[in-house]
Amino acid sequence: MSLHNLLSVDSIEQIDREVAKYPAEQSRSAVMGALRIAQVEKRSLSNELVEAIAIYLNIAPLAAYEVATFYNMYDMKPVGKYKLTVCTNLPCALSGAYTTANYLKQKLGIGFNETTADGKFTLKEGECMGACGYAPVMLVNNHSMCNHMTPEAIDKKLAELE
């Protein structure tokens, strides 16, 4: 299926701007940006969408699948309106990441890789986010970094997302 049948004109224009950043023979370099743009519009990436992006970029579909399935910022299954990713690497773990994760699990009534019944929140466990000095950290929808996530900070953030 054509990318034009799967994404809005605006998203395709954004992908075209990503492609324009690289020499014509290196359109593969735009795959991460193209996947991100598609995911923002659709909230997750279907196999059909990943394949259409690959064809649009003139790369092998397997190359796009490798990227989409390797990085945890891409979701190959639908996620909630708010994807909350808690870093549990060692520095964050030593600074209370599991306390943060457990509080979120209790508060939302879900575990890692689960979505609340109302489709509002998905909880994910993440790798290092490069903010060890601000641990424990949580990323909201792959874009908004929240730091020093104490129970009080979590309550405040969840209230903002209501």
Side-chain angles (χ1 to χ4, degrees):
M1 178 162 285
S2 167
L3 195 59
H4 294 282
N5 296 332
L6 298 172
L7 292 177
S8 68
V9 172
D10 182 56
S11 290
I12 292 172
E13 288 173 354
Q14 289 178 54
I15 290 171
D16 288 343
R17 284 192 294 276
E18 284 293 312
V19 171
K21 294 176 183 178
Y22 305 99
E25 69 278 1
Q26 293 181 16
S27 62
R28 170 189 201 117
S29 299
V31 70
M32 289 185 76
L35 291 169
R36 179 189 52 78
I37 291 162
Q39 182 168 283
V40 166
E41 179 177 328
K42 298 295 186 180
R43 292 185 37 197
S44 66
L45 299 170
S46 65
N47 290 340
E48 180 181 45
L49 185 53
V50 173
E51 187 172 330
I53 288 169
I55 291 166
Y56 192 78
L57 296 178
N58 199 29
I59 63 174
L62 180 60
Y65 282 114
E66 288 173 339
V67 173
T69 58
F70 179 78
Y71 293 101
N72 67 1
M73 68 185 138
Y74 300 116
D75 300 304
M76 296 301 292
K77 296 186 315 186
V79 296
K81 180 177 180 182
Y82 299 107
K83 181 174 109 175
L84 308 177
T85 306
V86 178
C87 176
T88 56
N89 273 61
L90 186 58
C92 280
L94 292 172
S95 296
Y98 285 101
T99 300
T100 295
N102 289 333
Y103 185 76
L104 276 163
K105 288 176 183 180
Q106 176 268 320
K107 188 90 174 163
L108 299 174
I110 58 173
F112 283 130
N113 300 312
E114 294 179 355
T115 300
T116 55
D118 63 3
K120 193 165 190 178
F121 296 102
T122 296
L123 186 59
K124 294 281 193 172
E125 185 173 18
E127 293 298 317
C128 183
M129 298 175 190
C132 304
Y134 301 99
V137 295
M138 178 178 76
L139 195 58
V140 178
N141 289 344
N142 300 325
H143 299 289
S144 177
M145 179 74 70
C146 305
N147 57 59
H148 303 295
M149 294 311 292
T150 62
E152 297 79 20
I154 292 167
D155 288 343
K156 182 178 178 192
K157 179 50 72 177
L158 292 178
E160 290 172 9
L161 299 176
E162 288 297 327

